[in-house]
Amino acid sequence: MKIGFDAKRAYHNNTGLGHYSRTLIVNLAQFYSNNKYFLFTPSLSDSFDVSAYENIKSIIPGNFPNTLFKNKWRSKWVIEDLKKMSIDIYHGLSHQIPIGINKTAIKSVVTIHDLIFERYPEQHGRINVLLYRKKFKYACNNADAVIAISEQTKNDLIDFYHIPKEKIHVCYQTCNPLFMEKVGELEKQRIKIKYNLPDKFFLYVGSITERKNLLTVCKAIKSIDNDIPLIVIGSGRKYKSQIKIYLQQNNMAHKVVFLNDIKAAQTEDYKNSKDFPAIYQCASIFVYASIFEGFGIPLLEALWSGVPVISSNASCMPETGGDAAMYVNPFDDNDLAKKMKMVIEDESLAIEMIRKGFVHAQNFTAEKCTASVMEVYNEILNNH
């Protein structure tokens, strides 16, 4: 089988969409090595190196006008390359497929991560919402199959866009295998020194936007009567500034540390997340009070890392966290503070949460998640 991918995010995105793309491509190449995988991207970058895989080939625009109008190539003209290379299936890994692919013999799949912009349009801007809507709807209506990364996203596709439920396949995502490996004590000590981490800390990972709800976590920290700080991994602008003002007003700047702001964050191992498994495994509790997610990959990273997880009871979080996480109302900072205090003070509770977390994480192994995607490929090829 020859499988092509829209690989722009794999090469040029260092957050969720990029991680999803890279992890899935590499896992497919390893577990289903008989197939050939072609990565169609407007340009290459150092973020993704596939030279170790003989069955993966990167394709960039080859001639004029494709080299000049790269976005046009990605959204439409790439079809000519797909035909020439006899691609069997083309997988749009992030919400879009080339316009007109449904009029060819090439089968197509699109992954939809979430419809957050439909739920919170004010956080995305009117023009962006209209563009996203057009792109997402076109992909869902014209692809042979739609992959949703959670039941939550599947339900949203049915509710917002009226996509037939039998066309949507829920294929959970896995996380980077680095999070599944136990980090040695020496490495943990090195990481603690590098990032100046204390022996006990709460951890938050995710972009710093309103929807992720970091301010509520900061309010909870304020009412917890101990010196345990909150370590934050993630970038943000306007909302981050609001949080910093709140911290200054409440004399809490020392209790919340933004790792992105320190010198060590400029190193390559921070930028490409290589140091993150060790940071997770040094944490006392992982706190994820997001109001809405498509899947919530940091939550899964924490479960694999053996950290007790406190999460919000909203959207897909109970789906990702299962019976391992402790859940709170994301708008109730008192409830969050109470649960954080409870877990930090009760060692046997923390140990039990870690045990359950590891058991629940087995639902999201690389093998299971990759197999579910391969099932979709086989189904659309065999049905036509």
Side-chain angles (χ1 to χ4, degrees), residues 200-212:
K200 283 188 171 186
F201 62 88
F202 301 111
L203 179 64
Y204 166 98
V205 178
S207 52
I208 304 168
T209 60
E210 267 176 87
R211 175 176 57 83
K212 301 278 191 180

Side-chain angles (χ1 to χ4, degrees), residues 172-370:
Y172 290 121
Q173 58 187 116
T174 188
C175 61
N176 189 315
L178 286 176
F179 289 95
M180 301 167 195
E181 293 170 19
K182 202 152 177 56
V183 176
E185 284 306 313
L186 277 176
E187 176 62 3
K188 280 189 191 173
Q189 287 308 316
R190 185 185 75 80
I191 290 294
K192 278 185 177 179
I193 292 164
K194 179 177 177 178
Y195 295 101
N196 196 24
L197 300 173
D199 287 332
K200 283 188 171 186
F201 62 88
F202 301 111
L203 179 64
Y204 166 98
V205 178
S207 52
I208 304 168
T209 60
E210 267 176 87
R211 175 176 57 83
K212 301 278 191 180
N213 203 27
L214 179 57
L215 186 55
T216 296
V217 184
C218 293
K219 286 176 180 174
I221 293 280
K222 180 175 181 274
S223 58
I224 298 173
D225 186 24
N226 62 32
D227 293 326
I228 300 172
L230 173 69
I231 303 294
V232 174
I233 293 178
S235 58
R237 291 189 185 141
K238 193 178 165 192
Y239 184 63
K240 183 178 176 180
S241 302
Q242 288 173 22
I243 290 169
K244 286 195 164 181
I245 290 165
Y246 172 84
L247 296 174
Q248 280 166 348
Q249 287 171 344
N250 290 277
N251 196 25
M252 284 177 64
H254 63 292
K255 288 198 81 173
V256 179
V257 180
F258 295 91
L259 281 198
N260 280 39
D261 294 351
I262 69 168
K263 197 179 173 189
Q266 300 312 310
T267 60
E268 208 49 49
D269 286 348
Y270 183 86
K271 288 180 186 172
N272 64 20
S273 315
K274 203 174 164 191
D275 285 345
F276 290 6
I279 297 172
Y280 270 93
Q281 289 181 38
C282 289
S284 306
I285 299 174
F286 181 75
V287 187
Y288 200 66
S290 179
I291 296 162
F292 197 91
E293 294 293 327
F295 181 78
I297 202 83
L299 205 161
L300 181 58
E301 291 168 351
L303 294 180
W304 276 115
S305 298
V307 188
V309 171
I310 298 177
S311 183
S312 61
N313 57 12
S315 74
C316 66
M317 263 67 79
E319 212 178 323
T320 309
D323 66 347
M326 187 177 280
Y327 297 100
V328 297
N329 176 339
F331 302 104
D332 187 345
D333 55 282
N334 291 322
D335 184 30
L336 178 56
K338 194 173 85 182
K339 301 247 168 86
M340 288 165 74
K341 205 166 182 302
M342 193 194 302
V343 179
I344 208 87
E345 288 174 0
D346 187 340
E347 197 182 337
S348 60
L349 172 63
I351 289 167
E352 179 60 7
M353 287 172 74
I354 291 167
R355 186 193 68 77
K356 283 183 171 176
F358 185 73
V359 171
H360 184 66
Q362 306 308 311
N363 293 310
F364 308 98
T365 61
E367 290 87 343
K368 281 183 184 173
C369 296
T370 314

Side-chain angles (χ1 to χ4, degrees), residues 142-194:
N142 291 285
D144 292 286
V146 177
I147 287 176
I149 60 164
S150 62
E151 291 290 343
Q152 174 68 59
T153 297
K154 178 179 179 174
N155 293 336
D156 282 355
L157 285 168
I158 295 165
D159 294 345
F160 284 101
Y161 296 160
H162 312 296
I163 306 300
K165 65 175 186 288
E166 52 279 2
K167 189 177 184 176
I168 308 167
H169 307 257
V170 175
C171 299
Y172 290 121
Q173 58 187 116
T174 188
C175 61
N176 189 315
L178 286 176
F179 289 95
M180 301 167 195
E181 293 170 19
K182 202 152 177 56
V183 176
E185 284 306 313
L186 277 176
E187 176 62 3
K188 280 189 191 173
Q189 287 308 316
R190 185 185 75 80
I191 290 294
K192 278 185 177 179
I193 292 164
K194 179 177 177 178

